[in-house]
Amino acid sequence: LAYAAEPLKADRELVLEAVRQDGTALAYAAEPLKADRELVLEAVRQNGLALWAAADPLQADRELVLEAVRQNGSALQAADDPLLADHELVLEAVRDNGEALRFAAEPLKADRE
Protein backbone atom coordinates (compact mmCIF):
# COMPACT_ATOMS: atom_id res chain seq x y z
CA LEU A 1 0.00 0.00 0.00
CA ALA A 2 2.95 2.31 0.61
CA TYR A 3 3.64 2.57 -3.11
CA ALA A 4 0.05 2.51 -4.32
CA ALA A 5 -1.40 5.47 -6.21
CA GLU A 6 -3.50 7.86 -4.12
CA PRO A 7 -6.85 6.65 -5.53
CA LEU A 8 -5.99 3.11 -4.42
CA LYS A 9 -5.15 4.31 -0.91
CA ALA A 10 -8.71 5.60 -0.74
CA ASP A 11 -10.23 2.33 -1.96
CA ARG A 12 -11.84 0.85 1.16
CA GLU A 13 -11.91 -2.76 -0.05
CA LEU A 14 -8.27 -2.67 -1.15
CA VAL A 15 -7.14 -1.07 2.13
CA LEU A 16 -9.21 -3.55 4.13
CA GLU A 17 -7.47 -6.45 2.41
CA ALA A 18 -4.08 -4.80 2.95
CA VAL A 19 -4.60 -4.31 6.70
CA ARG A 20 -5.80 -7.88 7.08
CA GLN A 21 -2.38 -8.94 5.82
CA ASP A 22 -0.38 -6.24 7.61
CA GLY A 23 -2.16 -3.99 10.07
CA THR A 24 0.51 -1.33 9.84
CA ALA A 25 -0.51 -0.74 6.22
CA LEU A 26 -3.14 1.52 7.78
CA ALA A 27 -0.47 4.21 7.94
CA TYR A 28 -0.62 4.52 4.14
CA ALA A 29 -4.40 4.65 3.84
CA ALA A 30 -6.24 7.83 2.91
CA GLU A 31 -7.14 9.93 5.97
CA PRO A 32 -10.89 9.19 5.87
CA LEU A 33 -10.16 5.46 6.06
CA LYS A 34 -8.06 5.97 9.19
CA ALA A 35 -11.32 7.05 10.83
CA ASP A 36 -13.24 3.99 9.61
CA ARG A 37 -13.81 2.02 12.83
CA GLU A 38 -14.34 -1.37 11.15
CA LEU A 39 -11.22 -0.99 9.04
CA VAL A 40 -9.09 0.15 11.99
CA LEU A 41 -10.41 -2.73 14.10
CA GLU A 42 -9.22 -5.18 11.44
CA ALA A 43 -5.84 -3.46 11.38
CA VAL A 44 -5.27 -3.59 15.16
CA ARG A 45 -6.39 -7.20 15.34
CA GLN A 46 -3.61 -8.02 12.89
CA ASN A 47 -1.06 -5.69 14.51
CA GLY A 48 -1.90 -3.68 17.60
CA LEU A 49 0.66 -1.04 16.69
CA ALA A 50 -1.61 0.01 13.83
CA LEU A 51 -3.36 2.08 16.50
CA TRP A 52 -0.70 4.74 15.87
CA ALA A 53 -2.15 5.37 12.41
CA ALA A 54 -5.79 5.52 13.53
CA ALA A 55 -7.66 8.82 13.65
CA ASP A 56 -7.56 10.48 17.09
CA PRO A 57 -11.17 9.66 18.02
CA LEU A 58 -10.46 5.96 17.47
CA GLN A 59 -7.43 6.14 19.74
CA ALA A 60 -9.97 7.06 22.43
CA ASP A 61 -12.29 4.15 21.58
CA ARG A 62 -11.92 1.81 24.56
CA GLU A 63 -13.02 -1.37 22.75
CA LEU A 64 -10.70 -0.71 19.85
CA VAL A 65 -7.75 0.09 22.12
CA LEU A 66 -8.44 -3.06 24.13
CA GLU A 67 -8.18 -5.13 20.93
CA ALA A 68 -4.93 -3.36 20.06
CA VAL A 69 -3.24 -3.95 23.44
CA ARG A 70 -4.33 -7.57 23.49
CA GLN A 71 -2.48 -8.02 20.22
CA ASN A 72 0.51 -5.89 21.24
CA GLY A 73 0.78 -4.36 24.69
CA SER A 74 3.00 -1.57 23.41
CA ALA A 75 -0.01 -0.19 21.55
CA LEU A 76 -1.00 1.35 24.89
CA GLN A 77 1.35 4.21 24.05
CA ALA A 78 -0.95 5.27 21.19
CA ALA A 79 -4.09 5.30 23.36
CA ASP A 80 -5.79 8.54 24.31
CA ASP A 81 -4.60 9.82 27.71
CA PRO A 82 -7.76 9.04 29.71
CA LEU A 83 -7.46 5.37 28.71
CA LEU A 84 -4.00 5.20 30.27
CA ALA A 85 -5.78 5.23 33.64
CA ASP A 86 -8.10 2.35 32.72
CA HIS A 87 -7.14 -0.55 34.99
CA GLU A 88 -8.40 -3.34 32.71
CA LEU A 89 -6.79 -1.85 29.62
CA VAL A 90 -3.43 -1.38 31.28
CA LEU A 91 -3.57 -4.87 32.77
CA GLU A 92 -4.20 -6.38 29.34
CA ALA A 93 -1.31 -4.39 27.88
CA VAL A 94 1.06 -5.47 30.65
CA ARG A 95 0.01 -9.11 30.29
CA ASP A 96 1.26 -8.95 26.72
CA ASN A 97 4.28 -6.78 27.39
CA GLY A 98 5.43 -5.78 30.87
CA GLU A 99 7.21 -2.76 29.43
CA ALA A 100 3.80 -1.27 28.58
CA LEU A 101 3.47 -0.25 32.24
CA ARG A 102 5.65 2.76 31.52
CA PHE A 103 2.82 4.25 29.43
CA ALA A 104 0.20 3.85 32.17
CA ALA A 105 -1.11 6.73 34.28
CA GLU A 106 0.97 7.28 37.42
CA PRO A 107 -1.59 5.89 39.92
CA LEU A 108 -1.67 2.58 38.05
CA LYS A 109 2.10 2.24 38.12
CA ALA A 110 1.86 1.77 41.90
CA ASP A 111 -1.12 -0.63 41.72
CA ARG A 112 -0.14 -4.12 42.91
CA GLU A 113 -2.61 -5.78 40.59
Side-chain angles (χ1 to χ4, degrees):
L1 200 56
Y3 303 107
E6 292 305 314
L8 296 179
K9 292 178 181 183
D11 181 315
R12 188 179 187 282
E13 292 307 311
L14 183 102
V15 173
L16 185 58
E17 191 55 40
V19 300
R20 284 180 175 153
Q21 293 176 32
D22 178 2
T24 62
L26 183 64
Y28 303 106
E31 290 303 314
L33 295 180
K34 293 178 182 181
D36 181 319
R37 189 177 189 283
E38 179 188 353
L39 197 145
V40 173
L41 188 57
E42 286 290 330
V44 300
R45 284 181 175 154
Q46 198 286 322
N47 186 329
L49 296 178
L51 188 60
W52 280 106
D56 289 346
L58 294 181
Q59 292 176 349
D61 181 318
R62 186 181 185 281
E63 180 187 348
L64 200 143
V65 172
L66 186 57
E67 285 289 331
V69 300
R70 283 181 173 153
Q71 199 288 322
N72 186 323
S74 293
L76 185 64
Q77 187 176 9
D80 195 44
D81 284 349
L83 295 178
L84 301 180
D86 183 308
H87 186 269
E88 181 189 5
L89 247 171
V90 170
L91 190 57
E92 286 291 330
V94 171
R95 280 186 183 136
D96 178 71
N97 179 354
E99 292 288 316
L101 186 60
R102 67 187 174 135
F103 307 121
E106 288 302 318
L108 290 183
K109 290 181 182 179
D111 190 332
R112 294 187 91 134
E113 289 185 44

